[in-house]
Amino acid sequence: MQAQTKQRYFTPAEYLELEEKAEFRSEYHDGEIVAMTGGSINHNRIVGNLNAALKIALKGQAYEVFTNDLRLWLSQYRRYFYPDLMVVAGEPLFHENRNDTITNPLVIRKMGRNPVL
């Protein structure tokens, strides 16, 4: 019989505290902390091209495009993650007055192994 390891679940506050001290970014999936994988050159090209195309297409409009350096909080799914791209209409709204976590994207694009939902 194989021994089972007990899964540790974290609160959102515990995740944010750990994330502030971590050397590498991770995501929060309803209690689980998931390490982020590295991107490939093609992934980087795709994100860069989408970012450029969206910035050009939305120029002069009340939209702003953000890349994977900003975290997103989706309260209905209890998920913190770093989308490849987010589009926000108007001013970004920040989670609990943090300047690194957005709550009001209009469009989200996340590629890779950990799909958004």
Side-chain angles (χ1 to χ4, degrees):
M1 180 183 277
Q2 188 175 6
Q4 290 185 342
T5 0
K6 189 173 181 181
Q7 176 69 39
R8 166 113 198 265
Y9 289 94
F10 297 85
T11 66
E14 289 173 320
Y15 161 76
L16 290 172
E17 184 178 332
L18 290 169
E19 187 74 356
E20 286 177 6
K21 300 172 189 170
E23 291 183 37
F24 302 100
R25 288 191 290 179
S26 60
E27 297 181 334
Y28 179 83
H29 300 186
D30 194 18
E32 294 182 53
I33 295 177
V34 178
M36 291 182 63
T37 59
S40 68
I41 193 166
N42 285 334
H43 177 267
N44 194 279
R45 286 175 180 146
I46 291 167
V47 171
N49 289 338
L50 284 171
N51 184 34
L54 284 169
K55 283 188 178 263
I56 290 167
L58 299 173
K59 187 175 182 173
Q61 298 181 50
Y63 298 101
E64 196 165 1
V65 182
F66 298 99
T67 58
N68 58 5
D69 289 330
L70 279 173
R71 186 174 37 234
L72 172 62
W73 169 243
L74 291 178
S75 59
Q76 66 270 36
Y77 299 104
R78 292 180 38 87
R79 301 265 316 247
Y80 282 107
F81 62 98
Y82 295 87
D84 294 307
L85 289 166
M86 288 187 279
V87 177
V88 173
E91 291 294 318
L93 299 179
F94 295 102
H95 180 58
E96 297 179 353
N97 296 316
R98 300 179 62 95
N99 64 358
D100 61 354
T101 307
I102 290 178
T103 62
N104 65 325
L106 182 63
V107 175
I108 305 166
R109 177 62 178 134
K110 169 107 168 122
M111 299 179 282
R113 293 183 182 181
N114 296 325
V116 175
L117 307 173

